[in-house]
Amino acid sequence: MRVVQKFGGSSVADAASIKRVAQRIVDAQAQGNEVVVIVSAMGDTTDELLDLAQQVSPQPRPRELDMLLTAGERMSAALLAMAINDLGYTARSFTGSQAGVITTEKHGDARIIDITPGRIETALGEGDVVIVAGFQGVSQTTKDVTTLGRGASDTTAVALAAALGAGYCEIYSDVDGVFTADPRIVPGAQRIPEISYDEMLELAANGAKILHLRCVEYARRENVEVHVRSSFSTKPGTWVKHISEEESVENPIITGIAHDRSEAKVTVVGVPDRVGAAADVFDTVAAVGVNIDMIVQNVSVADNTTAISFTLPQADGPRAIAALEAARERIGFTSTEYDDHVGKVSVVGVGMRSHPGVSATCFRALAAADINIAMISTSEIRISVVVDVDDVDAAVRACHTAFGLDSEGQAVVYAGTGR
Ligand code: ASP
Ligand code: MG
């Protein structure tokens, strides 16, 4: 069988780790598989390179930043190939560009548009283990090297698994799989043996960092089964896959709880109650390229104005506020408020489609823990609340307990970075 394995930064953090991982790869090859490995940069290399760039230049050109960052993955790929060669197997490392990862031209956040794995096929045909540097490709138009966004080696792995027709894609990090909540917050969190693409997408989109969001989107679209597991143990991890309606009735109503401390809340006060006011507010924010998440509009008060609150990534807060303030007179609102002392807690599970009372259980649990809810939003399989950032941990624990997800044992956290 053809297998694709991806090793995160914590699995290749130093020479000893690289040798350990090499042995694991060779074992898969010795069992008669064709093995393609995608590797992240060693340990904190990407952060260190970003830091170094900052010291040299406060505003580096994105093209040069991508040239710099892709070097991290190139190092670990070459080192891993050396370690495999020393175990008596032949391995060949490739940059993303050499591996045929074709992307859009946007530096730092390029999208994969095609994979042309000719060189990988040739190397596999010659019996080599193939090692590919993750998180990078080459732009079709500019011919420049691009990166795919932080954490995107997961996406490289799934894209290659799809292009190569692999049986499945293994994603190795330093945790045993996807858990019902972050084990550092909930010691009784449990490993989820299998999870549907839709639920994994909701968890990844709402703060679970174990898998890159676009990797899950890709896997769902191409129907690639993903096995998320630890390179520090041989235990089974979590299978992310298609789960039929009949199979899912056996599963718990709620699959997991995600949390996110990276958002902020903007409130636009005194918005005139007229047709098109909300459109004006959100046009203004969209025009500066800010993606928003939750929205709440209050009912009109006596003076015919309303307040509109929304959440957005903290990094985009200043830009959104500046744009809104510049449009204040034209739109006719009174003022803006900005609060980055917030967090979002999301309860996810396909079971809530067919079970009443899930919202009530969630809000009752938060009330019992004395937690005030600032905003609420839902999808068919998710309920999210915005709370004070200091209440996030307690809110995650309250929901985890309320939906019966607590286990007796303690989750094992090897290093716990999830890289
Ligand atoms: N090394 C890159 C990062 O730290 C990509 C990855 O690890 O997936 O974001
Ligand atoms: Mg990752």
Side-chain angles (χ1 to χ4, degrees), residues 6 8-9 40-41 43 46-47 69 73 134-135 149-154 419:
K6 178 256 170 178
S40 285
T46 307
D47 289 323
L69 294 187
E73 268 68 12
F135 145 86
R150 296 304 307 269
S153 293
D154 296 348
R419 277 196 309 247

